[in-house]
Amino acid sequence: MSKKVFDRFNKNIGVGRVKESRFPFYLFWIILVTLLVTAGVNVAIILLMQNTKVPAIIQTHLLVFYWLFVAIALTVYVRYAIKKNYDEPLQEISDVTKEVAKGNFDIRIEPIHTEEKNIDYLDVMISDLNKMIEELGSIETLKQDFISNISHELKTPMAVIKNYAEMMQSPGADDEQLREYAGVIKEAAVRMTELISNILRLNRFEHQKIVPNFTEVDISRNLCDSILQFESSWDRKNIDLDVDVEDKAIIRSDGASLTLVWNNLISNAIKFSPEGGRITISQSSDKNSVTVSVRDNGCGMSEETVRHIFDKFYQGDTSHATEGNGLGLALVKRILVLVGGTIEVKSKEYSGSEFIVTLPK
Ligand SMILES: Nc1ncnc2c1ncn2[C@@H]1O[C@H](COP(=O)(O)OP(=O)(O)OP(=O)(O)O)[C@@H](O)[C@H]1O
Ligand SMILES: [Mg+2]
């Protein structure tokens, strides 16, 4: 089926589009006309035979043959209609399902009717199956992308470790050089550990439906603890940090998971800020929610980047020159889904970004 026909078919077949079972006038007229015609022919044969004085035995046989013919014709027609409308589509559904079971997700089932007025329950079933195959295909692609992304992200630190270990083995390296090489190897190992912990965290949060650790959390305190962890990083970059939080903001949530949210947002703000930049972290509450905003005056993001930042392994800088693996915001998003919060992004290229998290009270 061409993509265009498939899309139009799916559009026509929205939920509730199947005509409710009602009196089928179309079928009624066909049956009525067929009965009238066959009965009319029957009467015509009788009248014709009376006029031509055909012997009674032949008259009877002729009528029997006539009705035999009508019965055969109707049987053939009904069989054809059933085959066309049910047997063939069901056979195709069965063939396609076998193909999908073998791992072919590019296959689609041909619709029986493509016009809205003719759509029936079998069409809805075909449309649903096609959607299911499409979904399965995209899940498979995601899985493959995920594995190839992990392999790619692991390859870089592995290559660094291998090269520097070889350099350490080469003769002539003095103590200072050896210490320097060991330092690079340690850094690569730390990056690998971070990547693996993030993958494990993401995996855990993705398979979790409910966050079990709902306790009373003071968001102001939680946020300040996270900010303090980054003291050396903002100091190193001479960043001017402006913090404006309430004394207390208690909500029921998962404190440990929220710490991961603040850590990711603050580390991004520092990472994407220039030397001597400015970061503003503010927190406020109203009757129903607590809001946290992390704003920087860093490089900002293009519209295209904003569209993808929550995708796993996505990094705006496609050369992946900046640190990290593009998993931070995917994790943030997943955690916020679990704790019932939301995140909003305001960003302009070259003039900074703001991430606003809202948590229900
Ligand atoms: N404050 C920000 N300013 C500019 N760009 C940002 C900011 N925060 C995120 N981004 C963009 O979004 C991308 C994804 O962010 P994310 O936190 O998911 O990954 P990362 O920081 O690159 O790596 P990781 O979080 O795994 O260490 C970043 O690579 C960057 O392009
Ligand atoms: Mg990050």
Side-chain angles (χ1 to χ4, degrees):
M1 189 197 309
S2 76
K3 181 150 176 14
K4 222 166 124 196
V5 175
F6 177 59
D7 286 348
R8 203 185 63 214
F9 172 54
N10 275 336
K11 207 172 118 230
N12 283 346
I13 215 155
V15 179
R17 287 294 180 111
V18 181
K19 297 266 180 305
E20 281 299 315
S21 157
R22 56 191 163 94
F23 188 74
F25 282 103
Y26 174 70
L27 197 62
F28 167 76
W29 285 117
I30 290 183
I31 291 173
L32 185 66
V33 169
T34 312
L35 286 178
L36 287 177
V37 169
T38 45
V41 173
N42 184 47
V43 173
I45 291 172
I46 294 170
L47 288 176
L48 212 74
M49 284 188 299
Q50 274 173 359
N51 288 343
T52 50
K53 306 253 179 341
V54 177
I57 182 86
I58 296 185
Q59 280 191 26
T60 321
H61 274 87
L62 213 65
L63 283 178
V64 169
F65 279 124
Y66 167 69
W67 283 111
L68 212 64
F69 168 77
V70 171
I72 290 171
L74 278 177
T75 311
V76 169
Y77 173 74
V78 171
R79 173 77 194 102
Y80 167 79
I82 291 176
K83 189 165 177 257
K84 187 99 196 102
N85 290 315
Y86 295 100
D87 287 4
E88 282 178 5
L90 287 174
Q91 184 58 48
E92 200 192 339
I93 290 174
S94 153
D95 293 344
V96 168
T97 346
K98 276 188 204 125
E99 276 295 301
V100 173
K102 282 188 211 151
N104 177 3
F105 300 109
D106 295 326
I107 200 161
R108 296 288 181 274
I109 307 165
E110 289 281 343
I112 310 166
H113 310 107
T114 47
E115 293 310 319
E116 192 176 347
K117 64 179 187 332
N118 298 330
I119 283 167
D120 61 17
Y121 283 103
L122 204 55
D123 292 308
V124 176
M125 191 171 113
I126 290 176
S127 160
D128 289 345
L129 277 169
N130 281 335
K131 278 182 213 148
M132 189 187 82
I133 300 169
E134 209 180 3
E135 281 289 309
L136 284 174
S138 55
I139 291 169
E140 184 63 19
T141 320
L142 273 183
K143 219 162 77 188
Q144 280 166 5
D145 281 358
F146 190 66
I147 291 168
S148 70
N149 275 321
I150 293 177
S151 320
H152 177 81
E153 295 291 325
L154 281 174
K155 250 198 230 152
T156 321
M158 288 286 242
V160 172
I161 291 175
K162 182 174 167 281
N163 290 344
Y164 277 81
E166 275 169 8
M167 280 156 73
M168 283 175 93
Q169 279 176 333
S170 64
D174 59 35
D175 273 4
E176 199 184 323
Q177 277 174 324
L178 285 178
R179 257 198 303 279
E180 188 194 323
Y181 298 160
V184 177
I185 290 177
K186 188 178 149 205
E187 222 172 85
V190 169
R191 275 181 65 184
M192 269 171 66
T193 317
E194 260 170 29
L195 167 67
I196 292 164
S197 336
N198 268 344
I199 291 170
L200 290 177
R201 272 188 205 129
L202 196 58
N203 191 44
R204 184 161 54 85
F205 282 119
E206 277 191 338
H207 290 102
Q208 212 166 313
K209 296 272 176 294
I210 336 149
V211 183
N213 286 327
F214 259 69
T215 51
E216 299 226 313
V217 185
D218 181 357
I219 295 296
S220 317
R221 173 99 193 264
N222 195 246
L223 189 58
C224 288
D225 288 347
S226 283
I227 297 171
L228 285 174
Q229 280 181 42
F230 289 92
E231 193 172 358
S232 59
S233 311
W234 83 69
D235 257 4
R236 216 178 308 133
K237 267 185 132 174
N238 276 324
I239 286 171
D240 181 8
L241 191 74
D242 187 3
V243 181
D244 177 16
V245 297
E246 291 172 315
D247 291 339
K248 225 179 196 148
I250 310 273
I251 61 167
R252 273 195 77 76
S253 196
D254 181 340
S257 304
L258 286 177
T259 301
L260 293 175
V261 171
W262 317 134
N263 286 355
N264 276 303
L265 296 182
I266 299 167
S267 77
N268 280 353
I270 297 174
K271 185 158 63 177
F272 298 103
S273 282
E275 256 314 298
R278 185 184 179 88
I279 295 176
T280 311
I281 300 173
S282 51
Q283 177 267 314
S284 58
S285 334
D286 63 23
K287 210 163 70 240
N288 306 314
S289 58
V290 170
T291 306
V292 173
S293 147
V294 179
R295 197 172 74 225
D296 63 68
N297 67 345
C299 59
M301 291 175 267
S302 66
E303 279 179 24
E304 171 70 11
T305 305
V306 173
R307 262 199 297 278
H308 294 284
I309 48 174
F310 297 108
D311 296 349
K312 282 176 229 164
F313 291 106
Y314 180 84
Q315 290 193 290
D317 170 13
T318 43
S319 70
H320 290 229
T322 44
E323 294 162 41
N325 313 100
L327 286 177
L329 287 177
L331 195 65
V332 165
K333 182 91 185 187
R334 184 63 202 152
I335 292 172
L336 289 174
V337 168
L338 288 175
V339 299
T342 55
I343 183 161
E344 192 193 335
V345 188
K346 292 180 185 163
S347 185
K348 216 168 161 216
E349 221 168 354
Y350 312 117
S351 45
S353 314
E354 181 178 12
F355 287 81
I356 303 161
V357 172
T358 310
L359 297 164
K361 261 192 173 165

